[in-house]
Coordinates of all heavy atoms in Angstrom, one line a residue:
M1 N 79.4 142.8 89.3 CA 79.6 141.6 88.5 C 78.5 140.6 88.7 O 78.0 140.4 89.8 CB 81.0 141.0 89.0 CG 81.7 140.1 87.9 SD 83.4 139.7 88.3 CE 83.2 138.4 89.4
A2 N 78.2 139.8 87.7 CA 77.1 138.9 87.8 C 77.5 137.7 88.7 O 78.6 137.2 88.6 CB 76.8 138.3 86.4
L3 N 76.6 137.3 89.5 CA 76.9 136.2 90.4 C 75.8 135.1 90.3 O 74.6 135.4 90.0 CB 76.8 136.7 91.9 CG 78.1 137.4 92.4 CD1 77.8 137.9 93.8 CD2 79.3 136.5 92.4
P4 N 76.2 133.9 90.4 CA 75.2 132.8 90.3 C 74.2 132.9 91.5 O 74.6 133.2 92.6 CB 76.0 131.5 90.4 CG 77.3 131.9 90.8 CD 77.5 133.3 90.6
K5 N 72.9 132.7 91.3 CA 71.9 132.8 92.3 C 72.0 131.7 93.3 O 71.8 131.9 94.5 CB 70.5 132.8 91.6 CG 69.4 133.2 92.6 CD 68.1 133.5 91.7 CE 67.0 134.1 92.6 NZ 65.9 134.5 91.8
K6 N 72.3 130.5 92.8 CA 72.4 129.3 93.7 C 73.8 128.7 93.6 O 74.4 128.7 92.6 CB 71.4 128.3 93.2 CG 69.9 128.7 93.5 CD 69.5 128.2 94.9 CE 68.0 128.3 95.0 NZ 67.5 129.5 95.7
K7 N 74.2 128.1 94.8 CA 75.5 127.4 94.8 C 75.3 126.1 93.9 O 74.3 125.5 93.9 CB 75.7 126.9 96.3 CG 76.9 126.0 96.4 CD 77.1 125.7 97.9 CE 78.2 124.7 98.1 NZ 78.5 124.5 99.5
T8 N 76.4 125.9 93.1 CA 76.4 124.6 92.3 C 76.6 123.4 93.3 O 77.6 123.4 94.0 CB 77.5 124.7 91.3 OG1 77.3 125.9 90.5 CG2 77.5 123.5 90.3
S9 N 75.7 122.5 93.3 CA 75.9 121.3 94.2 C 77.0 120.5 93.7 O 77.5 120.5 92.6 CB 74.6 120.5 94.2 OG 74.4 119.9 92.9
K10 N 77.5 119.7 94.7 CA 78.6 118.7 94.3 C 78.2 117.8 93.2 O 79.0 117.5 92.3 CB 78.9 117.8 95.6 CG 79.6 118.5 96.7 CD 79.7 117.6 97.9 CE 79.9 118.3 99.2 NZ 79.8 117.5 100.4
S11 N 76.9 117.4 93.2 CA 76.4 116.5 92.2 C 76.5 117.2 90.8 O 77.0 116.6 89.8 CB 75.0 116.1 92.5 OG 74.4 115.5 91.4
R12 N 76.0 118.4 90.7 CA 76.0 119.2 89.4 C 77.4 119.4 89.0 O 77.7 119.3 87.8 CB 75.2 120.5 89.6 CG 74.5 120.9 88.3 CD 73.3 121.8 88.6 NE 72.1 121.1 88.3 CZ 71.6 120.7 87.2 NH1 72.4 120.7 86.1 NH2 70.5 120.1 87.1
R13 N 78.3 119.9 89.9 CA 79.7 120.1 89.6 C 80.3 118.9 89.0 O 81.0 118.9 88.0 CB 80.4 120.6 90.8 CG 81.9 120.9 90.6 CD 82.6 120.8 91.9 NE 82.6 119.5 92.5 CZ 82.8 119.2 93.8 NH1 83.1 120.2 94.7 NH2 82.8 118.0 94.3
N14 N 80.1 117.7 89.7 CA 80.7 116.5 89.2 C 80.1 116.0 87.9 O 80.8 115.4 87.1 CB 80.5 115.4 90.3 CG 81.4 115.7 91.6 OD1 82.3 116.6 91.5 ND2 81.0 115.1 92.7
M15 N 78.8 116.2 87.7 CA 78.2 115.9 86.4 C 78.8 116.7 85.3 O 79.1 116.1 84.2 CB 76.7 116.1 86.5 CG 75.9 115.0 87.2 SD 74.2 115.1 86.9 CE 73.7 116.5 87.9
R16 N 79.1 118.0 85.6 CA 79.7 118.8 84.5 C 81.1 118.3 84.2 O 81.5 118.2 83.1 CB 79.8 120.2 85.1 CG 80.4 121.2 84.1 CD 80.4 122.6 84.6 NE 81.2 122.9 85.8 CZ 80.7 123.3 86.9 NH1 79.4 123.6 87.0 NH2 81.5 123.5 87.9
R17 N 81.8 117.9 85.3 CA 83.2 117.4 85.1 C 83.3 116.0 84.5 O 84.4 115.5 84.3 CB 83.9 117.5 86.4 CG 84.1 119.0 86.9 CD 84.9 119.1 88.2 NE 84.9 120.5 88.6 CZ 85.4 120.9 89.7 NH1 85.9 120.0 90.6 NH2 85.4 122.1 90.0
S18 N 82.2 115.3 84.4 CA 82.2 114.0 83.9 C 82.7 113.9 82.4 O 83.2 112.9 81.9 CB 80.9 113.3 84.0 OG 80.0 113.9 83.0
H19 N 82.7 115.1 81.7 CA 83.2 115.2 80.4 C 84.6 115.7 80.2 O 85.1 115.9 79.2 CB 82.2 116.1 79.5 CG 80.8 115.6 79.5 ND1 80.4 114.6 78.7 CD2 79.7 116.0 80.2 CE1 79.1 114.4 78.9 NE2 78.7 115.2 79.8
D20 N 85.2 116.0 81.4 CA 86.6 116.7 81.4 C 87.7 115.7 81.1 O 88.8 116.1 80.8 CB 86.8 117.4 82.7 CG 85.9 118.6 82.8 OD1 85.2 118.9 81.9 OD2 86.0 119.3 83.9
K21 N 87.5 114.4 81.2 CA 88.5 113.4 81.1 C 89.1 113.4 79.7 O 88.4 113.5 78.7 CB 88.0 112.0 81.4 CG 89.0 110.9 81.4 CD 88.4 109.7 82.0 CE 89.4 108.5 82.0 NZ 89.4 107.8 80.8
V22 N 90.5 113.4 79.6 CA 91.1 113.4 78.3 C 91.4 111.9 78.0 O 92.0 111.2 78.8 CB 92.5 114.1 78.4 CG1 93.2 114.0 77.1 CG2 92.2 115.6 78.7
A23 N 90.9 111.5 76.8 CA 91.0 110.1 76.4 C 92.5 109.8 76.0 O 93.2 110.6 75.4 CB 90.1 109.8 75.2
A24 N 93.0 108.7 76.4 CA 94.3 108.2 76.1 C 94.4 108.0 74.6 O 93.5 107.4 74.0 CB 94.7 107.0 76.9
P25 N 95.5 108.4 73.9 CA 95.6 108.1 72.5 C 95.7 106.7 72.2 O 96.4 105.9 72.9 CB 96.8 108.9 72.0 CG 97.6 109.1 73.3 CD 96.6 109.1 74.4
N26 N 95.1 106.2 71.1 CA 95.1 104.8 70.7 C 96.5 104.6 70.1 O 97.0 105.3 69.2 CB 94.0 104.6 69.6 CG 93.9 103.1 69.3 OD1 94.3 102.3 70.1 ND2 93.4 102.8 68.2
V27 N 97.2 103.6 70.6 CA 98.6 103.3 70.1 C 98.6 102.0 69.4 O 98.1 101.0 70.0 CB 99.6 103.4 71.3 CG1 101.0 103.0 70.8 CG2 99.7 104.8 71.8
I28 N 99.2 101.9 68.2 CA 99.5 100.6 67.6 C 101.0 100.5 67.4 O 101.7 101.5 67.6 CB 98.7 100.5 66.2 CG1 99.1 101.7 65.3 CG2 97.2 100.5 66.4 CD1 98.7 101.5 63.9
Y29 N 101.4 99.3 67.0 CA 102.8 99.1 66.8 C 103.2 98.9 65.4 O 102.6 98.1 64.7 CB 103.3 98.0 67.8 CG 103.3 98.4 69.2 CD1 102.2 98.2 70.0 CD2 104.4 99.0 69.7 CE1 102.1 98.7 71.3 CE2 104.4 99.5 71.0 CZ 103.3 99.3 71.8 OH 103.2 99.8 73.1
C30 N 104.2 99.6 65.0 CA 104.8 99.5 63.6 C 105.5 98.2 63.4 O 105.8 97.5 64.4 CB 105.7 100.7 63.4 SG 106.5 100.7 61.8
E31 N 105.7 97.8 62.2 CA 106.5 96.6 61.9 C 107.9 96.6 62.5 O 108.5 95.6 62.8 CB 106.6 96.3 60.4 CG 105.2 95.9 59.8 CD 105.1 96.2 58.3 OE1 106.2 96.3 57.7 OE2 104.0 96.2 57.8
C32 N 108.4 97.9 62.6 CA 109.8 98.0 63.2 C 109.8 98.0 64.7 O 110.8 98.1 65.3 CB 110.4 99.3 62.7 SG 109.7 100.8 63.5
G33 N 108.6 97.9 65.3 CA 108.5 97.8 66.8 C 108.2 99.1 67.5 O 107.9 99.1 68.7
E34 N 108.2 100.2 66.7 CA 107.9 101.5 67.3 C 106.4 101.7 67.6 O 105.6 101.4 66.7 CB 108.4 102.7 66.4 CG 109.9 103.0 66.5 CD 110.3 103.5 67.8 OE1 109.8 104.5 68.3 OE2 111.3 102.9 68.3
P35 N 106.0 102.3 68.7 CA 104.6 102.7 68.9 C 104.2 103.9 68.0 O 105.0 104.9 68.0 CB 104.5 103.0 70.4 CG 105.9 103.4 70.8 CD 106.8 102.7 69.9
V36 N 103.2 103.8 67.2 CA 102.7 104.9 66.4 C 101.2 105.0 66.5 O 100.5 104.1 66.9 CB 103.1 104.6 64.9 CG1 104.5 104.8 64.6 CG2 102.6 103.2 64.4
L37 N 100.8 106.3 66.2 CA 99.3 106.6 66.2 C 98.7 106.0 64.9 O 99.4 106.0 63.9 CB 99.1 108.1 66.2 CG 99.6 108.8 67.5 CD1 99.5 110.3 67.4 CD2 98.9 108.3 68.7
P38 N 97.5 105.5 65.0 CA 96.8 105.0 63.8 C 96.7 106.1 62.7 O 96.5 107.2 63.0 CB 95.4 104.6 64.2 CG 95.5 104.6 65.7 CD 96.6 105.5 66.1
H39 N 96.8 105.7 61.4 CA 96.7 106.5 60.2 C 97.8 107.6 60.2 O 97.7 108.6 59.5 CB 95.3 107.2 60.2 CG 94.2 106.3 60.3 ND1 93.3 106.2 61.3 CD2 93.8 105.3 59.4 CE1 92.5 105.2 61.1 NE2 92.7 104.6 60.0
R40 N 99.0 107.3 60.8 CA 100.1 108.1 60.7 C 101.3 107.3 60.3 O 101.4 106.1 60.6 CB 100.5 108.7 62.1 CG 99.4 109.5 62.8 CD 99.0 110.8 62.1 NE 98.3 111.6 63.0 CZ 97.0 111.5 63.4 NH1 96.3 110.5 62.9 NH2 96.4 112.4 64.2
A41 N 102.2 107.9 59.5 CA 103.4 107.2 59.1 C 104.3 107.0 60.3 O 104.3 107.9 61.2 CB 104.1 107.9 58.0
C42 N 105.1 106.0 60.4 CA 106.0 105.8 61.5 C 107.1 106.8 61.4 O 107.7 107.0 60.4 CB 106.5 104.3 61.4 SG 107.8 104.0 62.7
S43 N 107.4 107.5 62.6 CA 108.4 108.5 62.6 C 109.8 107.9 62.6 O 110.8 108.5 62.3 CB 108.2 109.4 63.8 OG 108.2 108.7 65.0
A44 N 109.9 106.6 63.0 CA 111.2 106.0 63.2 C 111.7 105.4 61.8 O 112.8 105.6 61.4 CB 111.2 104.9 64.2
C45 N 110.8 104.7 61.1 CA 111.3 104.0 59.9 C 110.6 104.7 58.6 O 111.0 104.3 57.5 CB 111.0 102.5 59.9 SG 109.3 102.1 60.0
G46 N 109.6 105.5 58.8 CA 109.0 106.2 57.7 C 108.1 105.4 56.8 O 107.9 105.7 55.7
T47 N 107.6 104.3 57.3 CA 106.7 103.5 56.5 C 105.2 103.7 56.9 O 104.9 104.0 58.1 CB 107.0 102.0 56.6 OG1 106.9 101.5 58.0 CG2 108.4 101.7 56.1
Y48 N 104.3 103.4 56.0 CA 102.9 103.4 56.3 C 102.3 102.3 55.5 O 102.5 102.2 54.3 CB 102.2 104.8 55.9 CG 100.8 104.8 56.2 CD1 100.4 105.0 57.6 CD2 99.8 104.6 55.3 CE1 99.0 105.0 57.9 CE2 98.5 104.6 55.6 CZ 98.1 104.8 56.9 OH 96.8 104.8 57.2
N49 N 101.6 101.4 56.2 CA 100.9 100.3 55.6 C 101.9 99.4 54.8 O 101.7 98.9 53.7 CB 99.8 100.8 54.7 CG 98.6 99.8 54.6 OD1 98.6 98.8 55.3 ND2 97.6 100.1 53.8
G50 N 103.1 99.2 55.4 CA 104.2 98.4 54.8 C 104.9 99.0 53.6 O 105.6 98.4 52.9
R51 N 104.7 100.3 53.4 CA 105.2 101.0 52.2 C 106.0 102.2 52.7 O 105.7 102.9 53.6 CB 104.0 101.5 51.4 CG 104.4 101.9 49.9 CD 103.1 102.0 49.1 NE 102.0 102.8 49.8 CZ 102.0 104.1 49.6 NH1 102.8 104.7 48.8 NH2 101.0 104.8 50.2
Q52 N 107.2 102.4 52.1 CA 108.1 103.6 52.4 C 107.4 104.9 51.9 O 107.1 105.0 50.7 CB 109.4 103.4 51.8 CG 110.5 104.3 52.4 CD 110.9 103.9 53.7 OE1 110.9 102.8 54.1 NE2 111.3 104.9 54.6
V53 N 107.1 105.8 52.8 CA 106.4 107.0 52.4 C 107.2 108.3 52.7 O 107.0 109.3 52.1 CB 105.0 107.1 53.0 CG1 104.1 106.1 52.4 CG2 105.0 107.0 54.5
T54 N 108.2 108.2 53.6 CA 109.0 109.4 53.9 C 110.5 109.0 53.9 O 110.8 107.8 54.0 CB 108.7 110.0 55.3 OG1 108.9 109.0 56.3 CG2 107.3 110.5 55.3
E55 N 111.4 110.0 53.8 CA 112.8 109.8 54.0 C 113.1 109.5 55.4 O 112.5 110.1 56.3 CB 113.6 111.1 53.6 CG 113.4 111.4 52.1 CD 114.1 110.4 51.2 OE1 115.2 109.9 51.6 OE2 113.6 110.1 50.1
S56 N 114.0 108.6 55.7 CA 114.4 108.3 57.1 C 115.9 108.0 57.1 O 116.5 107.7 56.1 CB 113.6 107.1 57.6 OG 113.8 105.9 56.8
S57 N 116.4 108.2 58.3 CA 117.8 108.0 58.5 C 118.3 106.6 58.3 O 119.4 106.4 57.8 CB 118.2 108.5 59.9 OG 117.4 107.9 60.9
D58 N 117.5 105.6 58.7 CA 117.9 104.2 58.5 C 116.8 103.4 57.8 O 115.8 103.0 58.4 CB 118.2 103.6 59.9 CG 117.1 103.7 60.9 OD1 116.7 104.8 61.3 OD2 116.5 102.6 61.2
A59 N 116.9 103.3 56.5 CA 115.9 102.5 55.8 C 116.3 102.2 54.4 O 117.4 102.2 53.9 CB 114.6 103.1 55.7
Ligands
ZN1 ZN1 108.4 101.9 61.9

C-alpha cells in the first residue's frame, strides 16, 4: 500500500483543516415571527415576500 514519504506536520495538517469549518446558515425572521432561511417560503405561514405562496394549516 502507498505510504506518505514524510509525516504531515501539525502546521500542514491544521492548514488543511482550516477549510473544514461548516458555516452557520443565515437565518432571517418571517413576519409571523418564525426563523426562515433567505429565499425560502416560510414553512409555518407559507408566505414569501409578504405574499401567500403555499397552502398552510393556519392562514
Ligand atoms: Zn411565516
Side-chain angles (χ1 to χ4, degrees):
M1 205 169 83
L3 281 174
K5 193 168 188 173
K6 290 269 193 262
K7 174 179 175 172
T8 305
S9 69
K10 290 173 197 170
S11 172
R12 208 156 255 296
R13 179 200 63 198
N14 292 343
M15 283 194 286
R16 179 175 67 239
R17 291 181 185 175
S18 73
H19 299 282
D20 290 358
K21 187 169 179 271
V22 176
N26 190 25
V27 174
I28 58 165
Y29 288 89
C30 177
E31 289 159 18
C32 73
E34 279 298 305
V36 284
L37 296 174
H39 307 111
R40 306 293 198 279
C42 176
S43 56
C45 66
T47 60
Y48 182 76
N49 213 2
R51 197 162 52 87
Q52 193 74 30
V53 290
T54 58
E55 293 294 322
S56 60
S57 51
D58 58 292

